[in-house]
Amino acid sequence: MGYEFINFEKEDSGVGILAINRPKALNALNWDTLKDLGSFVENDLPKEELRVLIITGEGDKAFVAGADIAQMSEMSASEFKEYVDYAHKIYNLIENAPYPSIAAVNGYALGGGCELALACDIRIASEKAKLGFPEVKLGIFPGWGGSQRITRIMGNAKAKELIFTGEMVSAEEALRFGLVERVVPHEVIMKEAKELAESIAKRAPLAVSAAKKAINTGSEMGLDKALELEKELIISCFDTDDRAEGMKAFLEKREPEFKGK
Ligand code: DAK
């Protein structure tokens, strides 16, 4: 596919593993890396066959250490705007994708890197991971969705503490206030992420996708409207082959074979 800064492989289970591949710079997202990520997610990700996407970083040290500071420091105001617009577009695409995503946070997840993890549905961290938003040390603040997504995940007060101080936290601390869902030994992070992904990949894909939409969209609505949305989505699930298969398989005491139809 000709991408220098990302690697991708898809397993038979339907689990795709996308790794940001710029380990010498701790996978910092310079323009070329961000464009590879964006272009791949937009155009080349095999969406039809994909059940779950795992995002991680190559190397042993970092998930993504943020936007590329060297490159950012040289940008004009218009380039800076273009950079942030593009990152917003790609992170929104990941957040709103029909397939679920898991961030396997295998090391530093800082600034734009932590924001990438936040755009994923679930975050698993290695016990060696460090997470945070150092942007205020650079004269900016988390602007790739971070200041908004983080408050929705862990509340305004803790988010302010993290963002205002710019300090990194350990994976264990991140777990305590809900920035990550699991912490696992470093050596097994990909194994754990794959096991979790495979357990989701076995389920009815349209139902998982509808549940993601109900949660993501519904949590931004008032309860009455959100309950209406839930009703619409569950009714749309009832009308699928997978719903018929799931219930039939239960009654026949066998595993269902879901087709995503
Ligand atoms: N950018 C560029 N290079 C980076 C980098 C980064 N974010 N992080 C690490 N590197 C490079 C280092 O420069 C070094 O390169 P060489 O010197 O070897 O050429 C190499 O990766 C290894 O890093 P270190 O030698 O520093 O490794 P250490 O183990 O000593 O330290 C560290 C690891 C993660 C603590 C340290 O590298 C570090 O503090 N990195 C910077 C982390 C950071 O501040 N991240 C946030 C970036 S700001 C926007 C809104 C938001 C954003 C952008 C735009 N708009 C509204 C337009 C987002 C901003 C950010 O993400």
Side-chain angles (χ1 to χ4, degrees), residues 43-56:
N43 308 314
D44 287 325
L45 190 64
K47 299 181 189 71
E48 303 302 304
E49 308 129 52
L50 187 75
R51 296 278 172 101
V52 181
L53 179 67
I54 297 175
I55 300 183
T56 191

Side-chain angles (χ1 to χ4, degrees), residues 204 206-207 210 230-247 261:
L206 297 175
E230 182 191 63
K231 215 162 43 176
E232 262 172 49
L233 289 164
I234 182 74
I235 290 168
S236 74
C237 283
F238 193 79
D239 202 21
T240 61
D241 294 351
D242 283 350
R243 192 277 309 161
E245 164 64 8
M247 294 187 181
K261 288 182 182 158

Side-chain angles (χ1 to χ4, degrees), residues 90-190:
I90 298 312
Y91 286 19
N92 287 344
L93 212 65
I94 293 168
E95 182 173 49
N96 298 317
Y99 48 82
S101 53
I102 297 171
V105 181
N106 55 323
Y108 290 111
L110 302 174
C114 202
E115 291 170 304
L116 177 59
L118 288 172
C120 295
D121 295 307
I122 301 169
R123 285 152 290 281
I124 300 190
S126 137
E127 63 197 354
K128 285 201 326 202
K130 294 223 183 292
L131 300 93
F133 296 97
E135 281 94 335
V136 292
K137 296 181 185 172
L138 303 167
I140 52 177
F141 75 96
W144 285 356
S147 70
Q148 302 309 307
R149 289 196 176 98
I150 194 178
T151 51
R152 284 160 171 76
I153 287 175
M154 58 193 226
N156 283 2
K158 198 72 199 173
K160 284 175 182 169
E161 185 187 326
L162 264 187
I163 292 171
F164 294 175
T165 63
E167 297 298 342
M168 294 185 230
V169 294
S170 67
E172 279 301 336
E173 285 173 277
L175 179 67
R176 273 205 297 282
F177 48 75
L179 183 53
V180 301
E181 280 68 54
R182 290 190 195 179
V183 178
V184 300
H186 187 68
E187 320 73 68
V188 297
I189 177 146
M190 286 315 293

Side-chain angles (χ1 to χ4, degrees), residues 22-26 28-29 61 65-72 80-81 83-85 108 110-113 115 134-135 138 140-144 168:
R22 201 181 164 225
K24 279 192 185 146
L26 305 187
L29 296 174
K61 230 177 133 179
D68 189 290
I69 301 171
Q71 209 173 50
M72 253 191 318
F80 194 63
K81 182 178 179 315
Y83 190 49
V84 77
D85 281 348
Y108 290 111
L110 302 174
E115 291 170 304
E135 281 94 335
L138 303 167
I140 52 177
F141 75 96
W144 285 356
M168 294 185 230

